[in-house]
Structures are given as structure tokens and as C-alpha cells.
Amino acid sequence: MTLDLAVLEAYHDLTGAAPEGIWRAPGRINLIGEHTDYNDGFVMPFALPQAAYLAAGRRDDGVIRIVSVDLGETFETSLHELRPNHDGWHAYLAGVFWALREAGHDVGGADLALASDVPIGAGLSSSAAIECVLVEALNDLHGLGIAPMARAKLARITENAYVGAPTGLMDQAASTLCTEGHALFLDCRSLQVQQVPLDLAAHGQAILVIDTLTRHSHAGGEYATRRADCEQAARLLGVAALRDVSVDELNRRLPELPDERLARRTRHVVTENQRVLSACAALRADDLPRLGQLMTASHASMRDDYEITEPSVDLAVETALANGALGARMTGGGFGGCVLALAPLDRVEAIATAVTTAFSESGRNVPATFVVLPAAGAGRLA
Ligand code: ADP
Ligand code: MG
């Protein structure tokens, strides 16, 4: 059953009636620009075909009922009971009502049925998908007229202030603002965006996602130390953020840092920002081989300078490159998760097979592999 039908049916089971509408918001994958967001830098995600679907209808008694088709669970609360918490999957949704009301928007209760095929915890932003789909639905149902970037910010407030997960704006901006056939260039300081053509199919190319299924339990701690390193380096260099150091001045400035570790962290962030700008230019020039080179360089920088890769993602990248990918890199916070490989359509299957074989031969679990094309951002289904 397709997910739109699944949520329609679940909504009917919950309420005995039809919903007022069905909304969709996608997961995202970051094409390039890793650990640049908290350095006021650049990122370039695109929306996945995988998405969260939500059937929704208003209630006038302040009650919120949510059924998750995927988890087979129903949760019920009411508007006056909303308090920031991290008590489960429903916080990502209850928190949206809270964030909207804190911002002064007059939203009432609702019945909601949710289903999503964004893999959970794979770094493809299943959390932003479910936040953004609900922001979208409530914005439409109550005629709130909130602009797209402001909708993304409200979804982020849900995750930061209600659920308590300290994430940047990229995930929610991508889920809300992306358009089909484009990547979204986002300047994390100015919040300016550009839709950058990423028409892979027209060039006979595709992006293969390889979910290594490796999840690192210390990723949160490592993330915090990388952030602290960047803040320290920026302070020592006398800039507001590492965004303010250019590639041209990098070699002159690095000796000012007291140790090799801070120098390497800085070099990753500064060169990665430049790679995002170069990737943007490459896409505008229709130069996909150049994009591939930049992706591979990004991976090397994450591996050698930022030290956030691990053997499974390195193996996936090396195997993809050895089997005809134009470029490949880990995407997401690090220490596992997904790799994306840019490859000619007729090489994709061979790459997936080669990676699967390499993983089996080294005693690893078989990775999940799937092809993605840049999909549309959040919206209401017709
Ligand atoms: P991700 O990288 O997938 O965003 P997060 O840890 O940020 O990982 O968010 C995953 C959490 O989002 C899940 O643990 C769950 O609480 C919630 N979630 C995501 N998708 C669903 C879903 N389909 N149904 C219920 N909860 C979901
Ligand atoms: Mg998330």
C-alpha cells in the first residue's frame, strides 16, 4: 500500500471520518558541506523521494491524537499539557503545536495519522520530515500564511527547544524548501538559499545511497568536541566563525593555531566551505565530473582532517570509486551512516553489488542501497 493510502486508512480507523487533507514532507541527504553549518558556512542538501505522509483534521476540543502507522502506536495529549520532553517519537509532533503556539499562532487540537519511509536514524532526517509535514499541515489548515523559511525555523525550534536535540537548520530547510531536480544551496549565516539544478537523469547519472547500517554510539560526544574545536579555533584566529577564513588565507593563518588538531579541524571547515561553492558552480556549469571530484575530496577531508569517518564508510567510498563512481563521500554527522556515490546510471547496479560483496567479505552486515533523484519539498497532496 502506498503511504498516502496508509495514512488515509489509519486516519479513518482513528476517527471514523475522512481527513481534511494529506501532506508530505521528505527526508534529505546532504550532497556536500559537512560540519559547516555550525561554522556559519554553506551546505547543499537535496530532498529524497522518501518522505513522511500525514493525514490531518482539526479538532475544536484542544485534544491531539496521533497514530504512527510505522510503530503501530497511538498517542494522545492536549494543548494545555504540552511541555518540552524527549519521551518518545510523539515529542517531534506534539512539539510542533507547542512551537507554533509559543510563536503566537492560534492552532487548536487535531487528529493525525503518520507514516514515513525515511529510514529512522540513518542521518536522512526522518525527524525533520515528521516535524515539517505537521508544520505544513497546520499552516494550511489554520490559514496561518507562515513563509517557507519561517516554517522551517518553527520545525527546528520543535527539535531544539521541545525535543531537546541541538541541530542546525539544514534538515528542516531542506525538507521544506527543496524543489524537484534541484539541490538547495543554503548559507547558514544569512539563511539565503539558491535552487541549484541537479538534473541527474538528464545527464545519465544517478546518486546511489549506501546505508552502511553502522551507527556510532559516541557520535554525539564526538560532535560536541568538533564543535568545541571549531569555536576555539575561531577565537584564536580572531574571527566570528570559521566561515570568515578563506581558502586563500588558510596556509598563512594555520601556523597561528597552537596544535595540529585545531589546524586540521580548521582546514576541513575552510576547504569544505570552498568545495560547496565550487560544487554549486560545477552544477551551474553542468559539470558533473567536477562535482564527483569535489565529493571525493570532501570525503578525504572528513577522513584525514576532521577524523569523523570509520572503516565501513571508507570501504563503501573506496569500493564505489573503484567501480566507476564519479565521486563518493560519507554524508551526515559521521562515524557511520550513509555514503552517497555519484555514478552513471549503467554503473549503479555494479557499484551496489561490489559494495555488498566487499561488506560481506569483510564480515560486515549487508548495507542497504538505493538510488535517489532530487525530489520535491513539503506540500499538500492534491
Ligand atoms: P534521523 O537521522 O532519522 O533524523 P533522529 O534521531 O534525528 O534520526 O530522529 C529519529 C526519531 O524521529 C525516531 O527515533 C522517532 O522518534 C522519530 N520518527 C522518525 N520517523 C518516525 C515515524 N515514521 N514514526 C514515528 N516516529 C518517527
Ligand atoms: Mg534527525
Side-chain angles (χ1 to χ4, degrees), residues 68 70-71 88-90 92 114-116 118-128 130 159 171:
S68 164
D70 308 305
L71 305 179
W89 59 274
H90 39 78
Y92 294 89
L114 173 78
S116 170
V118 184
I120 291 178
L124 302 179
S125 236
S126 69
S127 59
I130 65 174
E159 186 140 353
D171 302 353

Side-chain angles (χ1 to χ4, degrees), residues 170-244:
M170 169 170 65
D171 302 353
Q172 293 84 5
S175 185
T176 303
L177 295 163
C178 279
T179 57
E180 195 178 344
H182 294 84
L184 184 81
F185 173 89
L186 171 66
D187 179 334
C188 297
R189 175 175 278 168
S190 70
L191 299 189
Q192 280 180 333
V193 296
Q194 291 175 38
Q195 302 288 348
V196 187
L198 180 60
D199 193 357
L200 297 169
H203 295 85
Q205 304 282 330
I207 283 178
L208 178 71
V209 178
I210 303 157
D211 182 355
T212 63
L213 306 179
T214 307
R215 310 282 184 258
H216 197 292
S217 54
H218 302 308
E222 296 283 355
Y223 178 83
T225 60
R226 293 306 180 284
R227 275 192 89 134
D229 282 352
C230 290
E231 280 162 25
Q232 193 189 351
R235 221 171 21 249
L236 290 166
L237 293 171
V239 291
L242 290 182
R243 145 77 175 272
D244 298 306

Side-chain angles (χ1 to χ4, degrees), residues 58-93:
R58 284 169 290 180
R59 295 176 62 104
D60 52 19
D61 59 0
V63 169
I64 300 167
R65 290 194 299 171
I66 318 169
V67 52
S68 164
V69 173
D70 308 305
L71 305 179
E73 286 180 33
T74 304
F75 175 77
E76 183 168 331
T77 186
S78 67
L79 292 174
H80 67 265
E81 285 175 303
L82 298 176
R83 308 272 181 282
N85 73 82
H86 196 159
D87 297 340
W89 59 274
H90 39 78
Y92 294 89
L93 300 164

Side-chain angles (χ1 to χ4, degrees), residues 88-169:
W89 59 274
H90 39 78
Y92 294 89
L93 300 164
V96 169
F97 290 86
W98 178 87
L100 284 165
R101 288 167 68 86
E102 288 282 306
H105 297 294
D106 185 19
V107 297
D111 286 317
L112 307 169
L114 173 78
S116 170
D117 59 359
V118 184
I120 291 178
L124 302 179
S125 236
S126 69
S127 59
I130 65 174
E131 293 149 13
C132 291
V133 78
L134 179 54
V135 172
E136 212 65 26
L138 294 176
N139 184 54
D140 287 348
L141 285 173
H142 295 282
L144 302 175
I146 307 169
M149 185 56 91
R151 296 204 292 275
K153 285 184 186 171
L154 286 164
R156 179 198 182 176
I157 289 169
T158 300
E159 186 140 353
N160 292 170
Y162 194 89
V163 180
T167 57
L169 183 64

Side-chain angles (χ1 to χ4, degrees), residues 3 24-28 47-53 116-119 124 129 209 370-373 375-376:
L3 294 186
R24 172 194 166 280
R28 64 94 190 97
L48 295 174
Q50 288 84 354
Y53 289 76
S116 170
D117 59 359
V118 184
L124 302 179
V209 178
F370 47 92
V371 171
V372 295
L373 292 175

